[in-house]
Amino acid sequence: MPNIIKAQSEEQFNDIGAGIIASLLQSNPKALLGLATGSSPVGVYGRLVELYKEGSVSFAQAQSYNLDEYVGLPVDHPESYRTFMNEKLFNHVDILAENTHVPLGASPDPAQAAAGYTELLRQAGRIDLQILGVGLNGHIGFNEPGDELQGFTHVVTLDESTRKANARFFSSIEEVPKQAITMGIASILQAKQILLLVRGGEKAEIIARAMQGPVTTKVPASLLQTHPNVIVLADQEAGRLI
């Protein structure tokens, strides 16, 4: 059973999440970090920036590998995940640009880009700490519910529910990409430790199903039950059913 932590406030949520990441970097400055985008980690990244500015943590020797990226968005597009990571974390800490890795969604051959990312992860070795969020349908990364799930980095067609959930970041749903490159479930589960960040009452039902229901590819996040070292950090609303 994953270790479930319920934060009493947004400040505590961010402090706990950032503290877990900072503690790893303090004990292992060369840590391999698996990073996620979305609304749940934003405050955690903000707190990490504060810790860096206070001199409490350094990313100088660390490497990062992001979970996913939209297919077809230029790297500098305001809604690309590369832009997100630059604006929320990378530009504000001492991580080396060449040590930050995000799938190349703008590649003219996304399938080849996905295969290249799989090889990059293989060469890197096991991620020390993988940060995750969860979608309303239970997806982790962009591994959408289905009869079977792919193990390694691949191109995925996004569920309509996922595109609708992400439409708030774009001018209209028509602008939301229909595909993404995502790490696969096997890559995620190979991490030594996983930190699942869950915020908001709309996530309460799916996180309860994922953590307490059957392990099924219909709820990809439920596969985290098979991992020996998972921390679920939830706010009060998201954690009210677990």
Side-chain angles (χ1 to χ4, degrees):
M1 182 69 182
N3 178 17
I4 296 171
I5 302 172
K6 296 184 188 181
Q8 303 300 309
S9 65
E10 185 170 353
E11 182 180 16
Q12 188 183 49
F13 183 97
N14 296 335
D15 283 346
I16 293 171
I20 290 169
I21 300 166
S23 294
L24 170 64
L25 288 167
Q26 287 158 359
S27 63
N28 178 11
K30 295 182 178 180
L32 305 184
L33 302 173
L35 300 180
T37 56
S39 56
S40 293
V42 169
V44 171
Y45 293 156
R47 184 70 185 111
L48 279 172
V49 171
E50 291 175 359
L51 291 173
Y52 163 72
K53 290 179 177 177
E54 293 168 7
S56 300
V57 68
S58 171
F59 295 78
Q61 299 180 69
Q63 297 211 37
S64 71
Y65 297 85
N66 261 73
L67 276 169
D68 41 31
E69 177 62 281
Y70 288 120
V71 166
L73 289 192
V75 172
D76 59 355
H77 188 282
E79 296 306 330
S80 79
Y81 289 159
R82 166 57 77 176
T83 296
F84 177 102
M85 292 307 307
N86 287 345
E87 291 181 348
K88 304 301 183 187
L89 183 64
F90 297 157
N91 289 350
H92 309 289
V93 297
D94 58 346
I95 195 165
L96 299 176
E98 60 265 31
N99 287 346
T100 66
H101 308 91
V102 180
L104 297 174
S107 170
D109 188 341
Q112 185 178 41
Y117 205 69
T118 292
E119 178 61 18
L120 189 70
L121 289 167
R122 188 193 68 79
Q123 291 179 8
R126 292 179 68 193
I127 297 289
D128 291 293
L129 176 64
Q130 177 66 60
I131 311 299
L132 297 176
V134 62
L136 290 171
N137 62 2
H139 73 227
I140 47 176
F142 274 130
N143 294 282
E144 303 283 21
D147 293 329
E148 58 184 29
L149 297 174
Q150 295 195 43
F152 299 101
T153 309
H154 59 285
V155 178
V156 63
T157 298
L158 301 178
D159 277 6
E160 200 61 22
S161 64
T162 299
R163 294 184 68 235
K164 286 179 180 176
N166 290 354
R168 66 188 188 276
F169 301 115
F170 293 82
S171 299
S172 68
I173 192 168
E174 286 73 26
E175 291 188 15
V176 182
K178 295 182 178 179
Q179 291 186 311
I181 298 173
T182 184
M183 273 192 210
I185 290 292
S187 298
I188 291 169
L189 293 178
Q190 281 176 357
K192 297 175 185 176
Q193 184 177 37
I194 293 172
L195 173 61
L196 178 62
L197 302 172
V198 196
R199 294 174 65 237
E202 71 277 8
K203 300 286 180 72
E205 185 177 339
I206 193 62
I207 199 63
R209 287 176 60 197
M211 294 300 110
Q212 299 171 341
V215 175
T216 170
T217 58
K218 302 292 188 184
V219 183
S222 69
L223 292 160
L224 297 176
Q225 293 183 45
T226 68
H227 192 282
N229 193 356
V230 175
I231 298 172
V232 178
L233 175 58
D235 67 10
Q236 286 292 91
E237 284 299 304
R240 60 187 168 84
L241 299 179
I242 52 175

